Amino acid sequence: MQRLSGKVALVTGGSRGIGAAIARRLAEEGAAVVMTYVNGEAQAQSVVDGIVSTGGQATAVRADNRDAAALEAAVERTVAELGGLDILINNAGIFPTGTIEEVTLEELDRTIAINLRAPVVAAMAVVGHMPEGGRIITIGSNLAVRVPWPGISLYAMSKAGLVGLTKGLARDLGPRGINVNVVHPGSTDTDMNPADGELSDPQRSLMAIPRYNEAGDVAGLVAWLAGPEGRSVTGAEFTIDGGANI
Ligand SMILES: NC(=O)c1ccc[n+]([C@@H]2O[C@H](COP(=O)([O-])OP(=O)(O)OC[C@H]3O[C@@H](n4cnc5c(N)ncnc54)[C@H](OP(=O)(O)O)[C@@H]3O)[C@@H](O)[C@H]2O)c1
């Protein structure tokens, strides 16, 4: 089904995990996709090659979320090469751990820069290009709204900030017909949180359905929000976590 035919999407952190699954899914649905990465050049290229080999359109661009100029350049390059930008997926993120006695100022600044400041920078850079019907979809976390263990305060803070950003942007951009939403995955099998990792059983114990998401599960929800049926949904949070937040 080519529900996104003619659309252009930019996915931050598309080289691995949830971002790679979103890039593949949006391309399958017909969008031309640009994805960013920071270290994973070969992995990003392999995602691009996979999309192109099945008839899709994709490009990878190195842009560190900490570098506003690099993110802005990725947006400008997308618009210049593909003629516009309809869908922004703020996905790139890091998962710092440590209690308040353990975390450092450097980790605090890095977490804010990558997880929170970059989605604001990306939104600032895209809005001048985004037409009516545009979408901004940010990947938050179910830990934004519930903190079941110590040691994740920086991460939870950064993801909670994305909720306020989403609601504010939805108000700012609603008059222009641009929808802004945040998707909160729970435990999702990626490098960040492997389903067979030593911390996976405690996570499963919180869930009503004790099964990790596959990255494609999150991508399916994102693709729906990006598509035509999502046109009335804005300023909303979607939790996809096997009922861990019930
Ligand atoms: N996995 C989970 O259980 C889970 C649950 C809730 C929310 N999330 C959120 O989902 C998003 C994706 O997570 P994931 O599990 O797919 O993580 P992942 O497997 O660690 O992949 C992270 C992606 O982000 C990119 N990235 C990291 N730092 C970056 C930076 N400074 N600038 C640009 N790109 C950067 C990485 O690029 P490189 O390959 O170049 O390093 C990679 O593509 C994150 O926002 C995360 O917080 C994940």
Side-chain angles (χ1 to χ4, degrees):
M1 189 159 57
Q2 295 275 294
R3 295 177 324 137
L4 300 178
S5 183
K7 304 288 185 191
V8 176
L10 175 64
V11 182
T12 65
S15 50
R16 295 183 281 125
I18 292 171
I22 292 170
R24 289 191 191 100
R25 178 65 187 261
L26 297 182
E28 261 171 45
E29 301 217 11
V33 177
V34 176
M35 71 195 69
T36 68
Y37 63 92
V38 61
N39 294 312
E41 182 174 4
Q43 287 159 302
Q45 193 54 48
S46 134
V47 177
V48 166
D49 292 345
I51 291 172
V52 170
S53 72
T54 52
Q57 195 176 350
T59 316
V61 178
R62 186 173 193 285
D64 191 325
N65 261 25
R66 285 172 290 187
D67 180 351
L71 263 180
E72 288 158 4
V75 169
E76 293 306 323
R77 184 170 159 190
T78 303
V79 172
E81 292 183 5
L82 297 171
L85 210 172
D86 304 281
I87 301 163
L88 168 67
I89 311 292
N90 285 309
N91 164 78
I94 56 166
F95 184 64
T97 55
T99 64
I100 197 67
E101 297 95 338
E102 294 161 348
V103 294
T104 63
L105 278 178
E106 288 72 21
E107 282 170 309
L108 170 61
D109 290 344
R110 183 163 170 263
T111 304
I112 291 173
I114 295 174
N115 288 8
L116 189 53
R117 182 174 183 263
V120 184
V121 170
M124 290 165 73
V126 300
V127 284
H129 303 290
M130 200 170 262
E132 186 173 341
R135 302 282 196 273
I136 298 177
I137 302 166
T138 298
I139 305 301
S141 167
N142 67 343
L143 299 176
V145 286
R146 181 164 178 258
V147 180
W149 300 291
I152 48 181
S153 55
L154 294 190
Y155 185 73
M157 169 207 66
S158 68
K159 295 299 188 176
L162 296 172
V163 175
L165 174 67
T166 295
K167 290 177 185 291
L169 290 179
R171 287 289 181 192
D172 288 349
L173 300 175
R176 291 179 42 192
I178 294 172
N179 301 52
V180 189
N181 293 291
V182 59
V183 168
H184 293 310
S187 308
T188 305
D189 187 17
T190 66
D191 294 343
M192 183 183 280
N193 186 7
D196 59 359
E198 62 182 31
L199 296 175
S200 61
D201 283 340
Q203 292 176 59
R204 273 186 282 266
S205 74
L206 297 174
M207 300 178 197
I209 299 173
R211 179 181 63 217
Y212 264 52
N213 293 323
E214 292 174 12
D217 299 334
V218 181
L221 176 53
V222 168
W224 183 83
L225 284 168
E229 297 99 327
R231 67 181 185 159
S232 297
V233 181
T234 198
E237 296 173 70
F238 290 81
T239 301
I240 170 168
D241 72 349
N245 272 286
I246 288 173

